[in-house]
Amino acid sequence: MKIFTRSIVSSLFVCLLVAPLVHAEFTSVAAGVYLENDVRLQGLDVTIDGVKVELEGDVTFGSLKIINGGSLSPSASVTDNIDITMHGLELGSGANFSLTNFNVLVQGGLIANSNPLTLDNSTLSVQPTVIDQITQWQSIELKNNSKITHASSSGINLGLNWQADTITVDVTSSFDVSGKSQTYGATYA
């Protein structure tokens, strides 16, 4: 963990930069359908490497890596949104991060690596980052009541700092960061 300081408008603050997902070992999973709270996934640091993984229910990962064109989707039998919680998310080159009928909470670091992001009837909640830490996407598309938000923060200059070549948001979807951040004691809605 690196610590740096800088002065802004005669005020001094300290920002902690969180290291990317660093774990001793990730478990690669095979293509297939996984049940709710499946022990092959639950609480583990999981890699989806070039395979299609389908979920039939809620799951909590340690951290999740999606690489080499791997994908995550609900199985055809699922009718309600699936809740996924993870401590970190890393998308490798060529990752397919297209979420349909998911509510995803990323409680730690997010590494996008310029991949496309598509949300369809889904919510993605992430942690706020320091203002100069940019999450780069190739494209972002939100449709059918989808939402991107971040956790509330009492820190100064924390928020959602994302860039993409193309951003498409239909009339039912949104980036919702209302009431999520404070700067110099004021809350912005």
Side-chain angles (χ1 to χ4, degrees):
M1 186 178 308
K2 296 179 184 176
I3 299 176
F4 71 93
T5 60
R6 71 178 169 182
S7 178
I8 291 185
V9 192
S10 302
S11 296
L12 183 66
F13 68 92
V14 177
C15 294
L16 299 177
L17 293 179
V18 179
L21 308 174
V22 178
H23 295 276
E25 186 176 322
F26 276 78
T27 301
S28 284
V29 294
V33 177
Y34 294 82
L35 302 175
E36 184 168 359
N37 299 318
D38 194 304
V39 296
R40 296 171 291 173
L41 304 175
Q42 194 68 16
L44 298 177
D45 296 329
V46 171
T47 299
I48 299 175
D49 186 355
V51 298
K52 182 177 181 180
V53 170
E54 296 181 42
L55 298 177
E56 288 204 349
D58 302 345
V59 66
T60 299
F61 294 104
S63 290
L64 178 64
K65 283 186 190 179
I66 302 175
I67 58 175
N68 299 321
S71 67
L72 182 66
S73 63
S75 73
S77 64
V78 174
T79 57
D80 293 328
N81 278 27
I82 294 176
D83 294 329
I84 299 175
T85 302
M86 62 189 80
H87 297 290
L89 173 63
E90 180 177 349
L91 303 172
S93 180
N96 179 4
F97 202 56
S98 179
L99 302 175
T100 301
N101 300 326
F102 279 112
N103 298 317
V104 177
L105 172 60
V106 181
Q107 297 175 322
L110 169 64
I111 301 171
N113 287 319
S114 296
N115 284 291
L117 169 65
T118 302
L119 300 183
D120 184 352
N121 190 37
S122 295
T123 298
L124 176 61
S125 298
V126 297
Q127 293 301 302
T129 57
V130 292
I131 196 87
D132 55 357
Q133 181 181 342
I134 299 169
T135 301
Q136 184 67 45
W137 297 94
Q138 178 185 30
S139 61
I140 299 171
E141 181 181 10
L142 306 179
K143 56 187 176 182
N144 299 320
N145 296 305
S146 292
K147 179 171 64 172
I148 293 175
T149 188
H150 69 76
S152 295
S153 170
S154 60
I156 296 174
N157 291 330
L158 295 177
L160 191 61
N161 190 5
W162 288 12
Q163 292 181 357
D165 296 332
T166 306
I167 299 174
T168 306
V169 181
D170 77 7
V171 297
T172 66
S173 301
S174 65
F175 283 85
D176 181 6
V177 294
S178 56
K180 301 287 185 176
S181 164
Q182 295 182 7
T183 301
Y184 302 109
T187 300
Y188 295 92

